[in-house]
Amino acid sequence: MSVFLFWIFALMMLVFGVAVVINRNPVASALSLVVSFLALAALFMSLDAYFIGIIQVLVYAGAIMVLFLFIIMLLDLRAEELRKINWVASAGGLAVALALMVQIFAVIGRFSLAKQTFPSLAKSTSDDVHRIGLLLFDNYNLPFQIIGVVILVATIGAVMLSRRETR
Amino acid sequence: MVTLGDYLIVSGILFTIGFAGVMVRRNIIIILMALELMLNAANLSLVAFSRFHVDPSGAPNYNAQVFVFFVITVAAAEVAVGLAIVVALFRLRQTTHIEDITSLKF
C-alpha cells in the first residue's frame, strides 16, 4: 500500500465524515456515511485485514446503511427546517470535541511505538478468514454464542418496539 | 512510509468528528450516524494495532480482528434497536428533533 493511496482514502473518509455531520438533509448524510465507510474498508485492506474490510462493506455499507435510508424514507424526513441554532451549545460541543482531539494527539505524540513502519508478514497470512474463524470458534466460542443471543434479543426488541398496540 | 501513528491520528480525527456530531446535531438519526463513526474510528485503531503487532511466526495479532468482528455485530444490533425506538418515538410525537422530546428532563 503506497503512502499516496493511504492519504487519499484517509482524506476521503474524513471529508465524508465531516459531510455526515454538516449536511442538513438526512439522505445526503446517510450517503456520505456510505462513502466514508467504503474508504474505511479500503484502509482495512491496506492493513491486510481483508476479512474485516469485506465485513465492513457488507454489514455497514450494505445492511446498516440500507436500514438508515429505509427509516429516513419511511419517516419522510426532508431537509430540516432552519431552526434557531443554539450557538452556545454548539460552540460548547465543538470545544469539548477539540479538547478531546488535542488530548488524543498528545497521547499519540508521546507514544514511542507510533513511529514504527509496517513490520513484514509471513507469506502464509493471506488466509485471514481461516485464522479468524479458528480463533472465533476456539478461543472465543462463548462470546460468539453470546453475540448470537444479543442479535436474537435485538431482533425481538426491534419487532416489539415497532409493533402497533392492539387491544 | 505510513506509520502506526498515521493510522492512530486518522482514527483520532474520525472519532472527534463523530463526537462533535453527537454534541452539535439535534436530529436523532444523525446522532446515531455519528455514533457509528465513533465505533468505526475505534475499529480502525484496533485493526492498526493488530497489523503492527506481529508475532514471531509472522502473523498479525488476530485477537484484535475478532474483537472488531464483535464490535461490528453489536453495532448492527444497536442500530436496529435504536432505529426501532426512533420509529416508535416518531409515531408518538411526529418528530426526530431531540429538543422536542424532553419528557425525561428534570
Side-chain angles (χ1 to χ4, degrees), chain A residues 94-117:
Chain A
L94 279 180
V96 174
L98 278 180
L100 178 73
M101 185 156 78
V102 169
Q103 284 180 341
I104 291 174
F105 281 7
V107 169
I108 294 172
R110 220 174 294 162
F111 181 45
S112 59
L113 286 177
K115 287 173 194 65
Q116 63 172 323
T117 52

Side-chain angles (χ1 to χ4, degrees), chain B residues 58-73:
Chain B
N61 193 338
Y62 285 115
N63 289 300
Q65 299 194 15
V66 173
F67 197 64
V68 168
F69 175 81
F70 286 137
V71 171
I72 289 177
T73 322

Side-chain angles (χ1 to χ4, degrees), chain B residues 65-102:
Chain B
Q65 299 194 15
V66 173
F67 197 64
V68 168
F69 175 81
F70 286 137
V71 171
I72 289 177
T73 322
V74 172
E78 170 237 320
V79 166
V81 175
L83 288 176
I85 292 175
V86 171
V87 169
L89 207 56
F90 190 84
R91 211 179 264 154
L92 210 62
R93 298 285 181 83
Q94 309 299 320
T95 182
T96 59
H97 200 272
I98 56 171
E99 277 162 11
D100 298 338
I101 306 163
T102 52

Side-chain angles (χ1 to χ4, degrees), chain A residues 3 6 17-18 27 58 79-80 84 88 90 100 112 126 129 134 155 161-162 164:
Chain A
V3 181
F6 168 76
V18 171
V27 178
L58 287 180
E80 53 197 275
K84 196 157 65 70
V88 180
S90 296
L100 178 73
S112 59
S126 56
V129 180
L134 278 181
T155 313
L161 278 168
S162 50
R164 236 175 245 289

Side-chain angles (χ1 to χ4, degrees), chain A residues 2-144:
Chain A
S2 69
V3 181
F4 179 68
L5 279 178
F6 168 76
W7 287 111
I8 289 277
F9 283 119
L11 267 183
M12 196 166 131
M13 182 181 79
L14 294 179
V15 167
F16 281 95
V18 171
V20 171
V21 175
I22 64 176
N23 262 320
R24 293 206 83 86
N25 186 347
V27 178
S29 280
L31 293 178
S32 310
L33 195 56
V34 173
V35 180
S36 182
F37 283 167
L38 289 178
L40 183 59
L43 286 186
F44 285 155
M45 300 279 186
S46 80
L47 288 163
D48 297 295
Y50 302 106
F51 175 66
I52 298 297
I54 289 169
I55 286 287
Q56 175 83 12
V57 173
L58 287 180
V59 175
Y60 267 112
I64 292 185
M65 292 322 299
V66 168
L67 201 57
F68 267 113
L69 282 172
F70 188 75
I71 296 299
I72 290 170
M73 305 212 169
L74 182 73
L75 301 186
D76 195 20
L77 301 173
R78 318 265 160 153
E80 53 197 275
E81 71 277 26
L82 281 175
R83 295 199 181 216
K84 196 157 65 70
I85 297 177
N86 187 346
W87 288 108
V88 180
S90 296
L94 279 180
V96 174
L98 278 180
L100 178 73
M101 185 156 78
V102 169
Q103 284 180 341
I104 291 174
F105 281 7
V107 169
I108 294 172
R110 220 174 294 162
F111 181 45
S112 59
L113 286 177
K115 287 173 194 65
Q116 63 172 323
T117 52
F118 279 95
S120 58
L121 292 180
K123 271 278 177 280
S124 63
T125 56
S126 56
D127 59 340
D128 62 340
V129 180
H130 179 72
R131 304 278 191 113
I132 291 174
L134 278 181
L135 212 55
L136 204 55
F137 284 101
D138 192 5
N139 286 8
Y140 296 96
N141 202 342
L142 181 63
F144 187 63

Side-chain angles (χ1 to χ4, degrees), chain A residues 21 90 93-94 97-98, chain B residues 15-25 34 38:
Chain A
V21 175
S90 296
L94 279 180
L98 278 180
Chain B
F15 191 91
T16 311
I17 292 170
F19 187 73
V22 171
M23 298 299 276
V24 171
R25 291 305 301 262
M38 296 197 324

